[in-house]
Amino acid sequence: MAANNKQTIFLPLEDVDSEHCALIVDKGLSQVGGIETHQVELNNRRAAITVSDANAVPQAIKAIKDLGYGVTTVKHSFPVLNMTCASCAVSAESTINSVEGVVSASVNYANATLTVEYLPNMTNAAALQKALQSIGYDLLIEEESVQQETLEAIHEKKFRALKQKTIWSIILSLPVVVIGMFFMDIPYANEIMWLFSTPVVLWLGRDFFVNAWKQAKHRSANMDTLVALSTGIAYVFSVFNMLFADFWHQHGLHAHVYFEAAAVIIAFILLGKLLEERAKGNTSSAIKKLMGLQPKTVIVIGADGIEQQTAIEDVKKGDVILVKPGEKIAVDGMVISDDSYVDESMLSGEPLPVQKTENEKVFAGTINQKGSFRFKAVKVGKETMLAQIIKMVQDAQGSKAPVQKLVDKIAGIFVPVVIGIAVLTLILWIILGGDNGTVHGLLAAVTVLVIACPCALGLATPTAIMVGVGKGAEKGILIKDAESLELAKKIDVIILDKTGTITEGRPEVAGSKWLGGDDTAKPVLLSLEKRSEHPLADAIVNNLDGAEIVSLSSFDSITGKGAKATYQDESYFAGNKALLAENNITVSAELQQQADEWGKESKTVIWFANSKEALAVFAISDKIKETSVAAIRQMHEMGIELYMLTGDNEATAKAIASQTGLKHYKAEVLPQQKADFVKELQRQGKTVAMVGDGINDSTALATADVSIAMGKGSDIAMDVAKMTIISSDLSRIPEAIKLSKQTVATIKQNLFWAFIYNLIGIPLAAGILYPVNGFLLNPMIAGAAMALSSVSVVTNSLRLKWKK
């Protein structure tokens, strides 16, 4: 990274799971010199920092790690080739350090090795190799599997490790719980429990202690602090009681151990983390799939006319690229020879492929249909429209402020307050407790920490979400996160895409009329349309399925108009009205009248004729789904304002709106304009839901408060959206809103139960009743109360299943 050159660097974050954690990281970054702007994007699991000094990046990473959180980096050593002197090493090192995403690099001339640490979301080994090759050196990167380690692969690895930890903690905790609850009188019971609980607390739960210590160094506290204190003290206290039981017996007390409380707490919290990770899924998969729309290699035609397979990274502006049928277009460009139809639904959302002739623009990620053509590269790399869409989706995902979670707000205060109460309890007992004040005080302080353990708090949201999500899945509604479930009940406005959302998203014959009812020429039309490359031809072929196929003696595709064929010395035409006029073909009044009616309904009209007269006329349209009208009426009855936004023309949009009962619609809307309209409604203080099915909807989906994708649409829309309707049935949306209301109510009830135990339990644990009736809560009962709070929370969540 060059000094004095401002750059935005994205640091992939680990263990930043809540808004509370994000605030701690953001505060830490504000204290690092050389960072001009910083923002923690919780949704994207990354911190975006703008730096003017190369040294600021490693300092930022160190600051984040010091706070107990992680930054995903990859460290590797590679052999460097072609170095001849010590200055070569200096040159190679500075070149690698200038690559965007490199955190640190050093080249050792003596053993010709590069040691490098880089951000896997910004660069990779191949990019480093390319940088060195540009100045005459080379890098040996033989271990393909190691070098291509992506951010997704790293996250997957961490998830597997967490899963193993959770499974082992549950397996090892079970015998401790069984002995602690039912078999305390067996020989060596304490020693067996100690044996099983030690690996759970000190090995599987070590991260809680490490992170709590890091938080303490920076005078802050989070959930890890409470888990570490309660389990740590319970464990140490139990070891002391086991080894020095006589100490308590001399004071007339029973030396009880609390190994089961320590082990179960760790197991519960790990399980909660695992469930949370699973629910979140991988947020970067949407971006990965968008990038997958671009092919890895292309055929570039050199000045000598020779075709050459070229890597996408090596395509330069001005290169001439050959695109064959069915291939994806690699970069933005302009057609220079031949023509074809291109499926641009990923940009426009419209199902009909667009004809591309000379001097027409083509875009990266779109799919060529049946013809081949050559085009000149105009925009490459980050300049392409696909790259812009990727950036817009990332920005929209990152800039959206997450809802301040009630649990995180309270946790920020809850943790230090509980620690304060435990310390105060101990001090008050020492001062006021008489002869056994210190013993009782220590017992009471541990009881306070054990009963205040945030197990129920940690399970309150995930269990309700799991049941809510499961119930949604049974109804064909896939819900990605808690945030969208929280917000769905507040929706004021729903924006609907037209194609594939309100309509089926595939053109089909809506009506046909044959001259005088005579359809004997059906086999000729079917044979002609089967040979046509026009996308509408497929709709007619599907409609005529069942007719026999005949052998045509000639076939010609007429650009922009239709097709012509000869059968038994007679010419036949299929296409638009202009094709008929050009060939002086007469059109009867009955067919013309029918065509005019369909035209008013904004249907596409296709004609079929012989050399003298029109024989038939067909209407092609994108049919409205059977459930759309009823669903739109139901949403209106719920008091929700509905808008339809479409890239289609005004006439079609108006026809669809009137047929479905929609009061508001906008036609000829571009992808960015959809997102802008969402922002405009949000500025008016409205909670906006966006429903779409195409890549063109992805920016608006990412910008909306609640994003809903249709399951039969593109993978990208489904990845960006927080909810997916598997059946693509709009009537599921009102059901999703009702499910949201039920789930949020359950979460609030769970949090109430989680806190009611603490509000009642903490004063009891501190010994508030001791002066009144001599009652002092045993830590064992405190552990049981803590477990009971978790059971009540889970049971309450399960009640969701049986609600209508």
Side-chain angles (χ1 to χ4, degrees):
M1 189 195 313
N4 306 318
N5 182 17
K6 282 188 194 177
Q7 274 190 312
T8 300
I9 303 292
F10 296 103
L11 306 175
L13 299 174
E14 296 170 8
D15 306 320
V16 178
D17 300 322
S18 67
E19 188 63 20
H20 180 59
C21 298
L23 291 170
I24 293 172
V25 172
D26 203 48
K27 189 180 171 188
L29 288 172
S30 67
Q31 292 161 8
V32 178
I35 296 180
E36 304 206 356
T37 63
H38 52 90
Q39 182 189 1
V40 177
E41 298 178 358
L42 186 60
N43 287 354
N44 287 337
R45 296 188 186 187
R46 67 184 188 183
I49 59 170
T50 309
V51 295
S52 53
D53 176 9
N55 297 321
V57 178
Q59 283 171 17
I61 292 170
K62 184 179 182 296
I64 293 167
K65 287 181 176 176
D66 283 349
L67 286 165
Y69 303 103
V71 176
T72 307
T73 60
V74 174
K75 290 181 184 176
H76 276 306
S77 293
F78 305 103
V80 183
L81 309 178
N82 308 333
M83 289 196 299
T84 55
C85 62
S87 64
C88 291
V90 176
S91 172
E93 188 175 304
S94 63
T95 301
I96 294 294
N97 272 314
S98 69
V99 174
E100 196 177 53
V102 169
V103 177
S104 64
S106 67
V107 176
N108 183 325
Y109 176 63
N111 61 7
T113 303
L114 160 71
T115 305
V116 63
E117 182 180 6
Y118 60 85
L119 301 166
N121 59 317
M122 296 193 74
T123 190
N124 56 31
L128 303 180
Q129 182 187 43
K130 199 173 171 186
L132 279 187
Q133 284 171 344
S134 70
I135 57 163
Y137 309 117
D138 205 349
L139 210 57
L140 202 60
I141 52 169
E142 286 177 343
E143 302 167 68
E144 258 329 284
S145 59
V146 177
Q147 309 318 334
Q148 302 311 319
E149 199 168 17
T150 62
L151 202 52
E152 288 77 21
I154 292 166
H155 278 312
E156 183 58 34
K157 206 164 151 188
K158 286 188 179 297
F159 181 79
R160 285 199 301 270
L162 178 61
K163 192 175 178 180
Q164 278 193 319
K165 269 190 194 176
T166 307
I167 291 166
W168 276 108
S169 67
I170 292 168
I171 290 168
L172 293 170
S173 297
L174 276 173
V176 185
V177 173
V178 171
I179 293 169
M181 293 290 182
F182 308 109
F183 302 106
M184 275 306 292
D185 298 328
I186 64 168
Y188 303 108
N190 289 353
E191 286 78 2
I192 294 167
M193 289 195 291
W194 181 42
L195 185 70
F196 279 103
S197 62
T198 299
V200 177
V201 177
L202 301 184
W203 178 248
L204 300 169
R206 69 189 183 282
D207 288 345
F208 296 116
F209 296 96
V210 172
N211 293 340
W213 171 244
K214 287 178 178 178
Q215 291 287 321
K217 283 198 294 186
H218 289 84
R219 295 178 188 175
S220 61
N222 62 6
M223 286 293 210
D224 290 334
T225 313
L226 206 54
V227 176
L229 274 174
S230 59
T231 55
I233 292 173
Y235 178 79
V236 170
F237 194 58
S238 300
V239 172
F240 179 84
N241 290 1
M242 179 182 70
L243 299 176
F244 306 105
D246 291 346
F247 175 80
W248 299 107
H249 296 155
Q250 286 162 14
H251 293 83
L253 295 166
H254 177 62
H256 197 87
V257 295
Y258 309 102
F259 289 123
E260 77 284 355
V264 169
I265 287 165
I266 297 283
F268 259 137
I269 302 294
L270 285 173
L271 180 63
K273 274 181 173 283
L274 185 75
L275 297 178
E276 194 182 335
E277 282 299 312
R278 195 170 212 161
K280 278 181 181 173
N282 199 332
T283 51
S284 60
S285 63
I287 305 302
K288 190 181 170 189
K289 280 194 176 139
L290 273 173
M291 288 169 173
L293 287 170
Q294 195 175 46
K296 298 278 186 290
T297 59
V298 294
I299 297 169
V300 173
I301 296 170
D304 51 7
I306 294 171
E307 295 178 8
Q308 191 176 352
Q309 197 88 3
T310 306
I312 186 71
E313 300 86 25
D314 297 329
V315 174
K316 297 183 282 292
K317 285 183 190 177
D319 280 353
V320 175
I321 297 168
L322 171 67
V323 185
K324 293 178 179 177
E327 287 184 346
K328 288 172 182 169
I329 291 163
V331 295
D332 292 3
M334 190 172 281
V335 179
I336 54 172
S337 68
D338 304 319
D339 60 84
S340 181
Y341 285 89
V342 174
D343 179 356
E344 290 190 344
S345 58
M346 59 79 67
L347 293 175
S348 67
E350 298 313 314
L352 302 181
V354 181
Q355 187 178 19
K356 298 291 177 182
T357 53
E358 208 171 315
N359 296 327
E360 293 262 358
K361 288 180 181 176
V362 289
F363 300 99
T366 58
I367 301 165
N368 182 30
Q369 298 286 286
K370 298 176 182 174
S372 295
F373 65 91
R374 297 177 182 202
F375 75 97
K376 184 191 281 186
V378 176
K379 289 182 178 176
V380 297
K382 291 179 182 176
E383 296 174 357
T384 65
M385 193 180 284
L386 179 63
Q388 295 301 317
I389 289 177
I390 291 170
K391 188 178 185 304
M392 284 191 288
V393 171
Q394 276 182 321
D395 290 347
Q397 281 182 335
S399 64
K400 183 164 53 178
V403 177
Q404 279 272 17
K405 300 281 192 297
L406 182 61
V407 179
D408 289 319
K409 276 184 177 177
I410 294 163
I413 312 158
F414 183 75
V415 177
V417 165
V418 169
I419 295 166
I421 291 170
V423 172
L424 186 66
T425 300
L426 177 61
I427 292 167
L428 287 173
W429 270 103
I430 290 169
I431 297 167
L432 307 171
D435 293 342
N436 287 330
T438 306
V439 175
H440 284 318
L442 190 61
L443 209 61
V446 169
T447 309
V448 166
L449 287 168
V450 171
I451 206 164
C453 177
C455 273
L457 201 60
L459 289 168
T461 306
T463 54
I465 294 301
M466 277 191 76
V467 177
V469 167
K471 191 177 176 184
E474 286 170 20
K475 299 274 185 187
I477 306 160
L478 292 183
I479 299 155
K480 200 180 273 184
D481 67 0
E483 190 181 326
S484 53
L485 258 189
E486 274 183 71
L487 279 173
K489 72 185 188 78
K490 299 178 187 172
I491 292 169
D492 309 308
V493 181
I494 295 179
I495 296 171
L496 303 167
D497 174 48
K498 177 184 76 71
T499 308
T501 302
I502 297 172
T503 66
E504 294 286 359
R506 56 178 185 272
E508 55 184 48
V509 173
S512 62
K513 189 172 180 72
W514 289 83
L515 183 63
D518 178 12
D519 63 357
T520 51
K522 252 188 190 179
V524 180
L525 176 59
L526 177 62
S527 308
L528 191 155
E529 293 291 29
K530 264 196 175 293
R531 291 183 64 176
S532 172
E533 289 184 359
H534 198 284
L536 293 182
D538 292 338
I540 292 176
V541 168
N542 292 337
N543 181 255
L544 298 178
D545 205 24
E548 63 174 308
I549 293 172
V550 295
S551 179
L552 305 175
S553 50
S554 73
F555 175 85
D556 285 314
S557 182
I558 302 158
T559 303
K561 288 170 187 169
K564 176 187 175 184
T566 306
Y567 174 66
Q568 292 181 352
D569 300 327
E570 173 64 278
S571 296
Y572 289 92
F573 301 86
N576 57 21
K577 189 75 181 288
L579 180 65
L580 273 60
E582 198 177 88
N583 290 279
N584 301 316
I585 294 166
T586 58
V587 176
S588 68
E590 65 168 312
L591 291 185
Q592 186 59 59
Q593 186 187 344
Q594 182 62 73
D596 291 342
E597 279 177 32
W598 285 332
K600 284 174 192 168
E601 293 169 13
S602 302
K603 294 186 169 88
T604 304
V605 175
I606 299 290
W607 295 86
F608 175 55
N610 59 22
S611 57
K612 301 176 194 68
E613 61 181 350
L615 302 176
V617 64
F618 293 82
I620 293 180
S621 70
D622 189 7
K623 198 171 77 177
I624 293 170
K625 290 176 190 170
E626 288 175 15
T627 53
S628 292
V629 178
I632 286 166
R633 186 174 60 248
Q634 195 180 351
M635 285 185 271
H636 275 140
E637 285 166 2
M638 291 170 80
I640 295 167
E641 206 176 327
L642 294 175
Y643 287 86
M644 178 180 75
L645 302 188
T646 177
D648 219 329
N649 61 60
E650 176 73 24
T652 304
K654 188 177 180 181
I656 297 288
S658 66
Q659 287 169 47
T660 54
L662 281 165
K663 295 166 193 166
H664 312 288
Y665 69 89
K666 283 176 178 273
E668 295 173 20
V669 182
L670 295 171
Q672 187 54 43
Q673 290 171 328
K674 287 186 182 183
D676 292 341
F677 186 64
V678 171
K679 286 178 190 166
E680 190 185 312
L681 290 169
Q682 286 170 331
R683 279 194 290 272
Q684 294 168 25
K686 292 180 175 171
T687 303
V688 183
M690 172 74 200
V691 186
D693 76 319
I695 295 166
N696 64 305
D697 301 315
S698 56
T699 312
L701 284 166
T703 309
D705 298 297
V706 179
S707 44
I708 304 169
M710 293 286 125
K712 290 177 183 170
S714 77
D715 289 348
I716 312 305
M718 283 184 271
D719 275 322
V720 173
K722 297 298 174 71
M723 291 188 189
T724 299
I725 308 295
I726 299 170
S727 62
S728 293
D729 180 352
L730 279 182
S731 63
R732 298 292 181 207
I733 294 172
E735 288 184 22
I737 294 169
K738 285 173 192 165
L739 181 64
S740 161
K741 288 176 179 174
Q742 291 173 348
T743 308
V744 171
T746 304
I747 290 170
K748 286 179 178 174
Q749 290 160 9
N750 284 351
L751 291 174
F752 170 79
W753 285 115
F755 284 114
I756 206 80
Y757 278 103
N758 285 314
L759 290 172
I760 296 169
I762 289 172
L764 284 178
I768 200 165
L769 293 178
Y770 191 77
V772 181
N773 59 8
F775 177 77
L776 192 61
L777 188 66
N778 188 308
M780 180 64 193
I781 296 167
M786 180 274 293
L788 187 61
S789 69
S790 298
V791 171
S792 68
V793 160
V794 175
T795 307
N796 190 49
S797 293
L798 291 171
R799 281 178 59 242
L800 242 184
K801 274 189 177 180
W802 301 296
K803 286 187 181 176
K804 285 188 180 177

